[in-house]
Amino acid sequence: MQADWTRPNEEISGFLERHGRYGIPFNIVFGIVFGRGAPSGIALPEVLMPTLALDAVDTASTRNIVAD
């Protein structure tokens, strides 16, 4: 999902607020398979590092992408 916040938008503002963020960039990883994963999302820091992003995707999925 990608949101364009170049114009004020209450939906985007509400989403950010629900996740404790009030600005962009904001990256979050969602995933749920058979009741596992990250249905509420894993918020990533503003400064992304490959290991953090891969760990979040790994947690949100049922497949271990780091080991594969």
Side-chain angles (χ1 to χ4, degrees):
M1 171 175 50
Q2 182 176 347
D4 180 358
W5 208 25
T6 54
R7 294 189 190 117
N9 182 297
E10 288 184 30
E11 228 178 310
I12 296 171
S13 296
F15 182 84
L16 291 169
E17 187 175 328
R18 284 192 302 278
H19 293 283
R21 301 291 176 93
Y22 299 94
I24 53 173
F26 175 55
N27 296 290
I28 188 166
V29 176
F30 291 97
I32 184 162
V33 178
F34 305 116
R36 296 177 46 202
S40 298
I42 301 167
L44 299 174
E46 287 80 11
V47 178
L48 288 176
M49 300 198 49
T51 55
L52 294 174
L54 288 173
D55 286 347
V57 170
D58 193 38
T59 299
S61 70
T62 58
R63 181 173 166 231
N64 187 320
I65 62 166
V66 175
D68 289 350

